[in-house]
Amino acid sequence: MSRKKILVVSAHPEPRSLTAALAAFAVEELRASGHEVRVSDLYAMKWKATVDADDFPDLAGDRPLDVLHAQERATLAGALTADVVAEQEKVRWADALILQFPLWWFSVPAILKGWVDRVFTNGFAYGPAVPPPYTEGALGGRRALLSVTFGARESAFSDRGAHGPLADVLFPLQHGLFWFTGMAALEPFAVPGTVDVPAERFEAAKRDYRRRLAGLFTDDPVPFRPLSTDYDHDMRLLPGLERPGADGLGLHVR
Ligand SMILES: Cc1cc2nc3c(=O)[nH]c(=O)nc-3n(C[C@H](O)[C@H](O)[C@H](O)COP(=O)(O)OP(=O)(O)OC[C@H]3O[C@@H](n4cnc5c(N)ncnc54)[C@H](O)[C@@H]3O)c2cc1C
């Protein structure tokens, strides 16, 4: 396979954690396969997790902070802070993104949510200054993989599981972040039951992860629907296209 560029974003406060071990494994595997890899280890970088007025030093102090428009203005004027610019450059550089994180309260750790909030700005990842979302999204041409660990058993995140299907839990990232910005979202890679992971299960997880990393550029992405053909002007699914599927009524996947 041709040499590709991959950004691994990792979010865990403990460098000896399972999450850190999986991130290191991914980096090693991808480099061994000849790819170029860059890493954003958010805790190690002491990533600033919240958007606030400090993100817009050019904004007049007496003006109310309207984040949506402040981000757009700063993005288009080249006035974003250096940490955000550096991460945007990595995303732009990458052919694929991997987000490695533990599931915390059915979502990503706050530091990773803050990376998304601050890096995927209006004018960079979406908004009037860039192509429309979904099908033609601003970050199109890239692939994206969630690599998640969670304490619950796999069955608890299944179709009849108490926590709901994993695809539903991760929908905000898969559809709301990746697909919205034009990236092709792959099926997530998950390591469940992480309260205790004996060595043999860790080895099995690495074998599964190796397969998924090998398919990063060849596996079929989740077939989310194109905005241009499947939805009307009000962004509602056109009649007759619903089909029971992975997301219940098949409103989002073909
Ligand atoms: C705030 C919070 C919210 C949470 N919310 C949810 C939730 O909504 N749903 C849910 O299911 N779970 C939830 N959890 C559980 C959480 O998802 C798991 O604790 C997490 O996924 C474990 O990943 P970790 O990297 O922190 O593992 P670690 O705690 O570092 O390790 C887990 C196990 O993996 C093994 N291990 C650790 N390091 C290594 C290594 N380097 N090499 C090999 N094996 C290793 C050990 O057996 C260890 O006990 C939550 C936890 C917290 C703290």
Side-chain angles (χ1 to χ4, degrees):
M1 190 200 294
S2 64
R3 185 179 167 87
K4 298 278 192 183
K5 293 175 279 193
I6 299 138
L7 173 62
V8 176
V9 181
S10 176
H12 202 289
E14 172 52 63
R16 290 158 297 183
S17 63
L18 181 62
T19 295
L22 290 169
F25 177 76
V27 171
E28 212 175 282
E29 280 292 310
L30 292 166
R31 285 190 177 142
S33 303
H35 300 307
E36 219 177 315
V37 183
R38 293 167 79 179
V39 178
S40 290
D41 181 346
L42 299 182
Y43 279 93
M45 292 157 65
K46 298 205 180 298
W47 177 257
K48 173 178 178 286
T50 51
V51 180
D52 59 22
D54 291 346
D55 287 349
F56 311 104
D58 289 2
L59 195 74
D62 55 345
R63 282 180 67 171
L65 175 58
D66 167 352
V67 174
L68 189 78
H69 294 108
Q71 281 196 334
E72 184 184 26
R73 266 194 303 273
T75 303
L76 301 182
L80 291 166
T81 56
D83 58 345
V84 171
V85 170
E87 294 307 296
Q88 289 185 342
E89 190 272 316
K90 288 182 195 170
V91 172
R92 213 180 273 115
W93 166 88
D95 298 308
L97 242 71
I98 297 177
L99 305 187
Q100 181 77 58
F101 61 97
L103 194 70
W104 281 3
W105 287 110
F106 291 76
S107 186
V108 292
I111 199 167
L112 180 50
K113 178 58 162 55
W115 182 79
V116 175
D117 289 348
R118 296 185 62 232
V119 173
F120 288 71
T121 58
N122 184 357
F124 170 71
Y126 73 98
V130 297
Y134 297 116
T135 333
E136 302 159 48
L139 301 175
R142 291 170 181 76
R143 294 191 146 224
L145 174 70
L146 298 175
S147 179
V148 57
T149 62
F150 50 81
R153 281 167 287 169
E154 195 169 16
S155 52
F157 280 112
S158 65
D159 50 349
R160 296 171 67 90
H163 299 331
L166 190 62
D168 287 3
V169 174
L170 299 177
F171 185 78
L173 296 163
Q174 290 278 86
H175 198 272
L177 173 65
F178 292 157
W179 184 226
F180 183 79
T181 60
M183 292 191 263
L186 297 168
E187 289 293 346
F189 172 71
V191 179
T194 54
V195 176
D196 181 35
V197 183
E200 61 277 13
R201 205 144 67 75
F202 182 57
E203 290 309 311
K206 285 198 290 188
R207 278 196 299 278
D208 291 346
Y209 201 6
R210 177 176 291 131
R211 265 196 303 276
R212 294 300 311 278
L213 293 168
L216 192 55
F217 294 98
T218 49
D219 287 349
D220 287 337
V222 179
F224 288 131
R225 292 175 180 277
L227 184 64
S228 47
T229 56
D230 285 21
Y231 297 91
D232 66 17
H233 186 68
D234 295 320
M235 293 181 102
R236 287 179 57 84
L237 187 68
L238 291 167
L241 292 188
E242 49 292 292
R243 184 177 62 78
D247 65 340
L249 285 175
L251 298 183
H252 299 290
V253 292
R254 281 169 171 263

mmCIF file of all heavy atoms in Angstrom, residues 158-191:
data_model
loop_
_atom_site.group_PDB
_atom_site.id
_atom_site.type_symbol
_atom_site.label_atom_id
_atom_site.label_comp_id
_atom_site.label_asym_id
_atom_site.label_seq_id
_atom_site.Cartn_x
_atom_site.Cartn_y
_atom_site.Cartn_z
ATOM 1 N N SER A 158 -24.975 -3.595 22.978
ATOM 2 C CA SER A 158 -25.483 -4.255 21.772
ATOM 3 C C SER A 158 -26.914 -3.793 21.502
ATOM 4 O O SER A 158 -27.425 -2.897 22.180
ATOM 5 C CB SER A 158 -25.434 -5.768 21.971
ATOM 6 O OG SER A 158 -26.335 -6.112 23.009
ATOM 7 N N ASP A 159 -27.575 -4.408 20.515
ATOM 8 C CA ASP A 159 -28.924 -3.975 20.124
ATOM 9 C C ASP A 159 -29.902 -4.013 21.304
ATOM 10 O O ASP A 159 -30.741 -3.137 21.440
ATOM 11 C CB ASP A 159 -29.438 -4.831 18.957
ATOM 12 C CG ASP A 159 -29.291 -6.318 19.213
ATOM 13 O OD1 ASP A 159 -28.616 -6.709 20.196
ATOM 14 O OD2 ASP A 159 -29.860 -7.103 18.427
ATOM 15 N N ARG A 160 -29.820 -5.047 22.161
ATOM 16 C CA ARG A 160 -30.726 -5.114 23.308
ATOM 17 C C ARG A 160 -30.021 -4.741 24.606
ATOM 18 O O ARG A 160 -30.545 -4.965 25.694
ATOM 19 C CB ARG A 160 -31.302 -6.540 23.421
ATOM 20 C CG ARG A 160 -32.161 -6.930 22.215
ATOM 21 C CD ARG A 160 -32.523 -8.404 22.262
ATOM 22 N NE ARG A 160 -33.405 -8.698 23.374
ATOM 23 C CZ ARG A 160 -34.735 -8.648 23.314
ATOM 24 N NH1 ARG A 160 -35.320 -8.298 22.192
ATOM 25 N NH2 ARG A 160 -35.467 -8.949 24.356
ATOM 26 N N GLY A 161 -28.865 -4.183 24.501
ATOM 27 C CA GLY A 161 -28.075 -3.829 25.678
ATOM 28 C C GLY A 161 -28.638 -2.618 26.408
ATOM 29 O O GLY A 161 -29.207 -1.723 25.778
ATOM 30 N N ALA A 162 -28.439 -2.602 27.729
ATOM 31 C CA ALA A 162 -28.985 -1.515 28.552
ATOM 32 C C ALA A 162 -28.427 -0.152 28.144
ATOM 33 O O ALA A 162 -29.112 0.866 28.292
ATOM 34 C CB ALA A 162 -28.664 -1.780 30.024
ATOM 35 N N HIS A 163 -27.209 -0.109 27.645
ATOM 36 C CA HIS A 163 -26.600 1.187 27.300
ATOM 37 C C HIS A 163 -26.937 1.650 25.880
ATOM 38 O O HIS A 163 -26.544 2.734 25.482
ATOM 39 C CB HIS A 163 -25.075 1.102 27.425
ATOM 40 C CG HIS A 163 -24.603 0.766 28.809
ATOM 41 N ND1 HIS A 163 -25.292 1.107 29.943
ATOM 42 C CD2 HIS A 163 -23.494 0.098 29.223
ATOM 43 C CE1 HIS A 163 -24.646 0.683 31.011
ATOM 44 N NE2 HIS A 163 -23.551 0.053 30.605
ATOM 45 N N GLY A 164 -27.641 0.795 25.122
ATOM 46 C CA GLY A 164 -27.945 1.136 23.730
ATOM 47 C C GLY A 164 -26.815 0.690 22.820
ATOM 48 O O GLY A 164 -25.691 0.447 23.274
ATOM 49 N N PRO A 165 -27.103 0.583 21.515
ATOM 50 C CA PRO A 165 -26.064 0.138 20.572
ATOM 51 C C PRO A 165 -24.871 1.103 20.562
ATOM 52 O O PRO A 165 -25.068 2.321 20.629
ATOM 53 C CB PRO A 165 -26.776 0.160 19.222
ATOM 54 C CG PRO A 165 -28.235 0.179 19.533
ATOM 55 C CD PRO A 165 -28.391 0.833 20.875
ATOM 56 N N LEU A 166 -23.677 0.553 20.468
ATOM 57 C CA LEU A 166 -22.474 1.395 20.453
ATOM 58 C C LEU A 166 -22.545 2.427 19.312
ATOM 59 O O LEU A 166 -22.101 3.563 19.465
ATOM 60 C CB LEU A 166 -21.225 0.513 20.309
ATOM 61 C CG LEU A 166 -19.898 1.221 20.513
ATOM 62 C CD1 LEU A 166 -19.762 1.785 21.922
ATOM 63 C CD2 LEU A 166 -18.726 0.274 20.201
ATOM 64 N N ALA A 167 -23.139 2.016 18.179
ATOM 65 C CA ALA A 167 -23.249 2.944 17.040
ATOM 66 C C ALA A 167 -24.056 4.183 17.425
ATOM 67 O O ALA A 167 -23.772 5.282 16.949
ATOM 68 C CB ALA A 167 -23.887 2.250 15.844
ATOM 69 N N ASP A 168 -25.054 4.011 18.291
ATOM 70 C CA ASP A 168 -25.850 5.172 18.725
ATOM 71 C C ASP A 168 -25.033 6.057 19.665
ATOM 72 O O ASP A 168 -25.066 7.281 19.571
ATOM 73 C CB ASP A 168 -27.113 4.718 19.481
ATOM 74 C CG ASP A 168 -28.147 4.119 18.540
ATOM 75 O OD1 ASP A 168 -27.865 4.010 17.335
ATOM 76 O OD2 ASP A 168 -29.227 3.736 19.037
ATOM 77 N N VAL A 169 -24.308 5.405 20.584
ATOM 78 C CA VAL A 169 -23.508 6.165 21.565
ATOM 79 C C VAL A 169 -22.457 7.004 20.836
ATOM 80 O O VAL A 169 -22.198 8.147 21.208
ATOM 81 C CB VAL A 169 -22.846 5.199 22.573
ATOM 82 C CG1 VAL A 169 -21.903 5.940 23.503
ATOM 83 C CG2 VAL A 169 -23.913 4.460 23.373
ATOM 84 N N LEU A 170 -21.878 6.437 19.793
ATOM 85 C CA LEU A 170 -20.779 7.124 19.095
ATOM 86 C C LEU A 170 -21.250 7.960 17.903
ATOM 87 O O LEU A 170 -20.429 8.582 17.215
ATOM 88 C CB LEU A 170 -19.726 6.096 18.651
ATOM 89 C CG LEU A 170 -19.063 5.315 19.805
ATOM 90 C CD1 LEU A 170 -18.088 4.277 19.251
ATOM 91 C CD2 LEU A 170 -18.334 6.252 20.786
ATOM 92 N N PHE A 171 -22.566 7.982 17.682
ATOM 93 C CA PHE A 171 -23.121 8.712 16.538
ATOM 94 C C PHE A 171 -22.694 10.184 16.492
ATOM 95 O O PHE A 171 -22.353 10.706 15.421
ATOM 96 C CB PHE A 171 -24.649 8.582 16.560
ATOM 97 C CG PHE A 171 -25.334 9.182 15.377
ATOM 98 C CD1 PHE A 171 -25.364 8.516 14.153
ATOM 99 C CD2 PHE A 171 -25.956 10.420 15.469
ATOM 100 C CE1 PHE A 171 -25.997 9.078 13.058
ATOM 101 C CE2 PHE A 171 -26.589 10.988 14.377
ATOM 102 C CZ PHE A 171 -26.615 10.322 13.178
ATOM 103 N N PRO A 172 -22.667 10.885 17.631
ATOM 104 C CA PRO A 172 -22.242 12.300 17.563
ATOM 105 C C PRO A 172 -20.842 12.474 16.971
ATOM 106 O O PRO A 172 -20.577 13.476 16.303
ATOM 107 C CB PRO A 172 -22.269 12.742 19.029
ATOM 108 C CG PRO A 172 -23.269 11.838 19.676
ATOM 109 C CD PRO A 172 -23.107 10.509 18.979
ATOM 110 N N LEU A 173 -19.962 11.521 17.200
ATOM 111 C CA LEU A 173 -18.610 11.623 16.645
ATOM 112 C C LEU A 173 -18.577 11.082 15.211
ATOM 113 O O LEU A 173 -17.985 11.697 14.314
ATOM 114 C CB LEU A 173 -17.627 10.813 17.499
ATOM 115 C CG LEU A 173 -17.458 11.313 18.933
ATOM 116 C CD1 LEU A 173 -16.822 10.237 19.791
ATOM 117 C CD2 LEU A 173 -16.631 12.583 18.955
ATOM 118 N N GLN A 174 -19.209 9.940 15.016
ATOM 119 C CA GLN A 174 -19.153 9.294 13.710
ATOM 120 C C GLN A 174 -19.837 10.127 12.632
ATOM 121 O O GLN A 174 -19.319 10.301 11.539
ATOM 122 C CB GLN A 174 -19.837 7.915 13.794
ATOM 123 C CG GLN A 174 -19.075 6.895 14.611
ATOM 124 C CD GLN A 174 -17.968 6.269 13.771
ATOM 125 O OE1 GLN A 174 -16.865 6.803 13.674
ATOM 126 N NE2 GLN A 174 -18.242 5.130 13.157
ATOM 127 N N HIS A 175 -21.040 10.598 12.976
ATOM 128 C CA HIS A 175 -21.839 11.337 11.993
ATOM 129 C C HIS A 175 -21.689 12.845 12.183
ATOM 130 O O HIS A 175 -21.557 13.593 11.231
ATOM 131 C CB HIS A 175 -23.308 10.916 12.127
ATOM 132 C CG HIS A 175 -24.163 11.262 10.949
ATOM 133 N ND1 HIS A 175 -24.806 12.463 10.834
ATOM 134 C CD2 HIS A 175 -24.468 10.555 9.830
ATOM 135 C CE1 HIS A 175 -25.488 12.480 9.688
ATOM 136 N NE2 HIS A 175 -25.297 11.342 9.056
ATOM 137 N N GLY A 176 -21.684 13.272 13.467
ATOM 138 C CA GLY A 176 -21.698 14.707 13.767
ATOM 139 C C GLY A 176 -20.343 15.363 13.613
ATOM 140 O O GLY A 176 -20.253 16.577 13.392
ATOM 141 N N LEU A 177 -19.279 14.588 13.754
ATOM 142 C CA LEU A 177 -17.941 15.170 13.560
ATOM 143 C C LEU A 177 -17.332 14.690 12.236
ATOM 144 O O LEU A 177 -17.063 15.483 11.334
ATOM 145 C CB LEU A 177 -17.015 14.804 14.729
ATOM 146 C CG LEU A 177 -15.556 15.220 14.543
ATOM 147 C CD1 LEU A 177 -15.395 16.735 14.487
ATOM 148 C CD2 LEU A 177 -14.671 14.636 15.645
ATOM 149 N N PHE A 178 -17.154 13.366 12.121
ATOM 150 C CA PHE A 178 -16.445 12.855 10.935
ATOM 151 C C PHE A 178 -17.243 13.109 9.645
ATOM 152 O O PHE A 178 -16.775 13.771 8.726
ATOM 153 C CB PHE A 178 -16.160 11.362 11.081
ATOM 154 C CG PHE A 178 -15.158 11.018 12.166
ATOM 155 C CD1 PHE A 178 -15.147 9.742 12.734
ATOM 156 C CD2 PHE A 178 -14.220 11.927 12.607
ATOM 157 C CE1 PHE A 178 -14.226 9.401 13.721
ATOM 158 C CE2 PHE A 178 -13.290 11.606 13.591
ATOM 159 C CZ PHE A 178 -13.303 10.327 14.141
ATOM 160 N N TRP A 179 -18.454 12.552 9.601
ATOM 161 C CA TRP A 179 -19.216 12.634 8.340
ATOM 162 C C TRP A 179 -19.651 14.074 8.052
ATOM 163 O O TRP A 179 -19.632 14.523 6.904
ATOM 164 C CB TRP A 179 -20.398 11.664 8.391
ATOM 165 C CG TRP A 179 -21.210 11.574 7.135
ATOM 166 C CD1 TRP A 179 -22.580 11.591 7.045
ATOM 167 C CD2 TRP A 179 -20.745 11.412 5.782
ATOM 168 N NE1 TRP A 179 -22.980 11.491 5.745
ATOM 169 C CE2 TRP A 179 -21.875 11.373 4.935
ATOM 170 C CE3 TRP A 179 -19.482 11.327 5.188
ATOM 171 C CZ2 TRP A 179 -21.788 11.241 3.551
ATOM 172 C CZ3 TRP A 179 -19.389 11.198 3.796
ATOM 173 C CH2 TRP A 179 -20.523 11.148 3.007
ATOM 174 N N PHE A 180 -20.011 14.803 9.088
ATOM 175 C CA PHE A 180 -20.412 16.211 8.887
ATOM 176 C C PHE A 180 -19.302 17.002 8.197
ATOM 177 O O PHE A 180 -19.567 17.872 7.367
ATOM 178 C CB PHE A 180 -20.763 16.851 10.233
ATOM 179 C CG PHE A 180 -21.258 18.267 10.136
ATOM 180 C CD1 PHE A 180 -22.569 18.549 9.759
ATOM 181 C CD2 PHE A 180 -20.419 19.335 10.423
ATOM 182 C CE1 PHE A 180 -23.031 19.862 9.667
ATOM 183 C CE2 PHE A 180 -20.872 20.655 10.333
ATOM 184 C CZ PHE A 180 -22.179 20.912 9.947
ATOM 185 N N THR A 181 -18.062 16.705 8.562
ATOM 186 C CA THR A 181 -16.954 17.462 7.964
ATOM 187 C C THR A 181 -16.412 16.778 6.701
ATOM 188 O O THR A 181 -15.373 17.171 6.181
ATOM 189 C CB THR A 181 -15.801 17.654 8.979
ATOM 190 O OG1 THR A 181 -15.313 16.372 9.388
ATOM 191 C CG2 THR A 181 -16.267 18.438 10.194
ATOM 192 N N GLY A 182 -17.101 15.733 6.251
ATOM 193 C CA GLY A 182 -16.747 15.098 4.980
ATOM 194 C C GLY A 182 -15.841 13.887 5.088
ATOM 195 O O GLY A 182 -15.487 13.272 4.081
ATOM 196 N N MET A 183 -15.443 13.541 6.309
ATOM 197 C CA MET A 183 -14.527 12.398 6.472
ATOM 198 C C MET A 183 -15.299 11.083 6.428
ATOM 199 O O MET A 183 -16.423 10.998 6.920
ATOM 200 C CB MET A 183 -13.775 12.494 7.806
ATOM 201 C CG MET A 183 -12.799 13.644 7.847
ATOM 202 S SD MET A 183 -11.710 13.553 9.287
ATOM 203 C CE MET A 183 -12.534 14.648 10.402
ATOM 204 N N ALA A 184 -14.678 10.058 5.881
ATOM 205 C CA ALA A 184 -15.294 8.730 5.813
ATOM 206 C C ALA A 184 -15.038 8.009 7.136
ATOM 207 O O ALA A 184 -13.898 7.675 7.458
ATOM 208 C CB ALA A 184 -14.697 7.952 4.648
ATOM 209 N N ALA A 185 -16.117 7.775 7.881
ATOM 210 C CA ALA A 185 -15.990 7.144 9.202
ATOM 211 C C ALA A 185 -15.976 5.627 9.060
ATOM 212 O O ALA A 185 -16.872 5.049 8.438
ATOM 213 C CB ALA A 185 -17.157 7.569 10.085
ATOM 214 N N LEU A 186 -14.972 5.005 9.644
ATOM 215 C CA LEU A 186 -14.920 3.536 9.657
ATOM 216 C C LEU A 186 -15.690 3.019 10.868
ATOM 217 O O LEU A 186 -15.979 3.773 11.802
ATOM 218 C CB LEU A 186 -13.461 3.082 9.715
ATOM 219 C CG LEU A 186 -12.642 3.490 8.484
ATOM 220 C CD1 LEU A 186 -11.165 3.285 8.730
ATOM 221 C CD2 LEU A 186 -13.094 2.719 7.257
ATOM 222 N N GLU A 187 -16.023 1.734 10.866
ATOM 223 C CA GLU A 187 -16.623 1.132 12.065
ATOM 224 C C GLU A 187 -15.634 1.343 13.213
ATOM 225 O O GLU A 187 -14.432 1.114 13.049
ATOM 226 C CB GLU A 187 -16.831 -0.376 11.865
ATOM 227 C CG GLU A 187 -17.931 -0.740 10.885
ATOM 228 C CD GLU A 187 -19.320 -0.366 11.374
ATOM 229 O OE1 GLU A 187 -19.476 -0.059 12.575
ATOM 230 O OE2 GLU A 187 -20.248 -0.356 10.546
ATOM 231 N N PRO A 188 -16.106 1.755 14.386
ATOM 232 C CA PRO A 188 -15.174 1.976 15.497
ATOM 233 C C PRO A 188 -14.475 0.679 15.906
ATOM 234 O O PRO A 188 -15.018 -0.407 15.727
ATOM 235 C CB PRO A 188 -16.092 2.446 16.629
ATOM 236 C CG PRO A 188 -17.338 2.906 15.977
ATOM 237 C CD PRO A 188 -17.490 2.100 14.723
ATOM 238 N N PHE A 189 -13.269 0.852 16.444
ATOM 239 C CA PHE A 189 -12.573 -0.292 17.067
ATOM 240 C C PHE A 189 -12.746 -0.137 18.569
ATOM 241 O O PHE A 189 -12.438 0.929 19.126
ATOM 242 C CB PHE A 189 -11.090 -0.289 16.700
ATOM 243 C CG PHE A 189 -10.325 -1.323 17.482
ATOM 244 C CD1 PHE A 189 -10.500 -2.670 17.221
ATOM 245 C CD2 PHE A 189 -9.458 -0.948 18.510
ATOM 246 C CE1 PHE A 189 -9.824 -3.634 17.970
ATOM 247 C CE2 PHE A 189 -8.777 -1.899 19.257
ATOM 248 C CZ PHE A 189 -8.967 -3.253 18.980
ATOM 249 N N ALA A 190 -13.253 -1.196 19.229
ATOM 250 C CA ALA A 190 -13.557 -1.075 20.655
ATOM 251 C C ALA A 190 -12.920 -2.193 21.457
ATOM 252 O O ALA A 190 -12.888 -3.346 21.030
ATOM 253 C CB ALA A 190 -15.070 -1.105 20.857
ATOM 254 N N VAL A 191 -12.391 -1.833 22.616
ATOM 255 C CA VAL A 191 -11.951 -2.826 23.601
ATOM 256 C C VAL A 191 -12.896 -2.696 24.805
ATOM 257 O O VAL A 191 -12.804 -1.728 25.566
ATOM 258 C CB VAL A 191 -10.486 -2.604 24.039
ATOM 259 C CG1 VAL A 191 -10.080 -3.653 25.073
ATOM 260 C CG2 VAL A 191 -9.550 -2.654 22.844
#
